[in-house]
Amino acid sequence: MSAINNRYEFVFLFDVTNGNPNGDPDAGNMPRLDPETNRGLVTDVCLKRKIRNFVEMAKEKESGFAIYMQEKSVLNNQHKQAYEALGIEPVAKKLPKDQKQALELTRWMCRNFFDVRTFGAVMTTEVNAGQVRGPVQLAFASSIDPVVPLEVSITRMAVTNEKDLEKERTMGRKHIIPYGLYRVHGYVSAKLAQKTGFSEDDLQLLWQSLINLFEHDRSAARGEMAARQLILFKHESELGNAPAHKLFETVKVERINGASGSPAQSFDDYRIVLDAEAIPAGVSVEELI
Amino acid sequence: MAYGIRLKVWGERACFTRPEMKVERVSYDVITPSAARGIIEAIHWKPAIRWHIDKIHVLNPIAFESIRRNEVGSKVSAANIKKAVKAGNTAGLVNYVDQDRQQRAATILRNVAYVIEAHFDLTSRADASDSEGKHLDIFNRRARKGQFFHAPCLGVREFPANFELIEEEEQLPTTAGELTGVRDLGWMLHDFDFSRESTPHYFRALMNDGVIEVPPFRSEEVKA
């Protein structure tokens, strides 16, 4: 499978209703906030995790689509057994001194693991070939308007320890955002894709994973999350035909209900406008959602 | 400076990690010459040329922000990969992120904008087809059109860099008023010497009205 021949950028919009899209470990798992603007944040790695989870689910055991960075919740026992069987930690860290050998290992990793091929991976070798830089890069997602995190206290009718029995119930807390529309920018470099073998099929899978990113990631904490819009900018050439920021600027998210800069209530409060005339020659736009 | 270029780069966030505080990353106050070189090389580079950073203009006030993330604790082991290649399947070769998790804070920069002044030399790997004019043209053409080899970033890949070529006749953007005066930014990473096992080299960064003069890599002021 040959690698892609076009550079891409994409704007991905998703929203959350009564949920916590990405907790901040520094703030007791409150939704992440940009302290300067009070806009909500979702880190790049949070979204990459969901892409990995989707691909793992969609391509279960299909060869060439293994996921290197696994989450336990999607772990299957067979994997675990194999892991334990092989789990003897090798001591020698600088093993492949031989460049050629290291390159072969890297190639093999790229061929077999979707996430290594897509996002790259650092492998413990002293030689350069042990590091893969993936073609797909995501930035932080940030909400269009400021969000107001709420702390919701909840109760549980059971207790964990027997000695707490007379307390009857325990209190817990949930942090939610009533509503937030988030925007994230992504980049796909054709040149790096050629180095890792990231193919047209992989690209389609990436778009699929973004479209379905939240459909298989339901949980008590997340609330209702939905992918709202995915706009691709396809450059005619490998290196690209226009600056990325110029393309991103053609997508404007306008507030149509309520004062701009105040927290929104729902997706109906926004209108997404694509300035088709401002798209430079050599770049085509596609809206996948 | 016959083959000099001027590139404006900017972005919402940046992290130019101090090597002495890399576990819980703390950024330098400004972009390092090494990171600036990385941005330029993301646009155009060939083994035939080597980029040198001459000056860094800091345009925005220096502001920090902290962010904590879940990261994995270890890297992929080459020995394990080898084992899996031999076995011919990927079954054992996974890394369970929640068993190997580290929470790390990063102190990063906000709203940065710089102008990088740089030039290049031809290296010993240049052949007859490489001329200075050619590479300069390629760079300028790409930078003007917004083309790049891979998306340039501000220190780490999650913070993409926007860039724009500043044409020769164009005025430089002005520096924020808060940056006037002389500021000693202390010892800062200049770049790595890749010919000697990636030895880091440092220089004393002085910011004068927002402008940092970067000494040549092989000069007296740069210490390994």
Side-chain angles (χ1 to χ4, degrees), chain A residues 118-255:
Chain A
T118 306
F119 303 126
V122 177
M123 306 186 216
T124 335
T125 61
E126 289 256 295
V127 254
N128 261 352
Q131 197 164 342
V132 186
R133 197 162 36 173
V136 178
Q137 183 180 350
L138 288 173
F140 277 16
S142 104
S143 68
I144 306 296
D145 286 314
V147 291
V148 184
L150 292 183
E151 191 180 309
V152 183
S153 288
I154 48 173
T155 58
R156 184 172 67 163
M157 299 310 290
V159 291
T160 313
N161 294 317
E162 211 168 336
K163 63 177 173 18
D164 295 329
L165 207 58
E166 59 276 16
K167 281 190 194 156
E168 282 178 1
R169 58 189 188 176
T170 43
M171 303 284 288
R173 280 179 306 173
K174 275 185 130 171
H175 297 285
I176 59 162
I177 287 175
Y179 184 77
L181 179 66
Y182 288 74
R183 171 177 182 152
V184 61
H185 294 167
Y187 305 79
V188 186
S189 156
K191 283 290 184 185
L192 290 183
Q194 286 157 12
K195 289 193 172 176
T196 68
F198 181 83
S199 68
E200 197 59 45
D201 281 358
D202 292 330
L203 188 74
Q204 293 310 323
L205 184 59
L206 177 74
W207 304 143
Q208 279 306 311
S209 71
L210 286 172
I211 292 166
N212 296 299
L213 203 58
F214 308 107
E215 304 301 338
H216 305 279
D217 188 54
R218 306 280 176 213
S219 79
R222 297 277 173 256
E224 290 169 47
M225 294 188 72
R228 288 296 186 172
Q229 196 135 19
L230 175 58
I231 300 170
L232 313 183
F233 298 102
K234 181 179 182 179
H235 298 256
E236 264 171 28
S237 67
E238 294 177 342
L239 288 170
N241 296 60
H245 65 274
K246 291 260 163 69
L247 298 178
F248 292 139
E249 281 163 10
T250 62
V251 179
K252 293 222 163 55
V253 182
E254 290 175 0
R255 188 68 186 274

Side-chain angles (χ1 to χ4, degrees), chain A residues 13-14 16 32-34 37-41 141-149 177 179-183 253-271:
Chain A
L13 289 147
F14 61 92
V16 57
R32 289 185 191 276
L33 280 184
D34 181 332
T37 58
N38 268 342
R39 295 192 296 169
L41 286 180
S142 104
S143 68
I144 306 296
D145 286 314
V147 291
V148 184
I177 287 175
Y179 184 77
L181 179 66
Y182 288 74
R183 171 177 182 152
V253 182
E254 290 175 0
R255 188 68 186 274
I256 47 174
N257 286 319
S260 98
S262 69
Q265 316 282 315
S266 76
F267 190 59
D268 293 339
D269 290 355
Y270 291 104
R271 181 171 56 201

Side-chain angles (χ1 to χ4, degrees), chain A residues 272-287:
Chain A
I272 296 158
V273 188
L274 178 76
D275 185 359
E277 277 169 26
I279 306 284
V283 177
S284 57
V285 188
E286 212 179 322
E287 290 183 50

Side-chain angles (χ1 to χ4, degrees), chain A residues 26 32 72 124 137 189 240, chain B residues 68 76 97-98 147 149 157:
Chain A
D26 252 352
R32 289 185 191 276
K72 207 179 174 186
T124 335
Q137 183 180 350
S189 156
Chain B
R68 186 178 291 269
V76 188
V97 279
D98 46 1
Q147 295 187 317
F149 187 90
R157 289 194 78 196

Side-chain angles (χ1 to χ4, degrees), chain B residues 24-42:
Chain B
E24 298 225 271
R25 295 181 204 95
V26 178
S27 176
Y28 278 118
D29 288 3
V30 299
I31 189 170
T32 59
S34 162
R37 183 178 55 82
I39 289 176
I40 288 176
E41 286 177 356

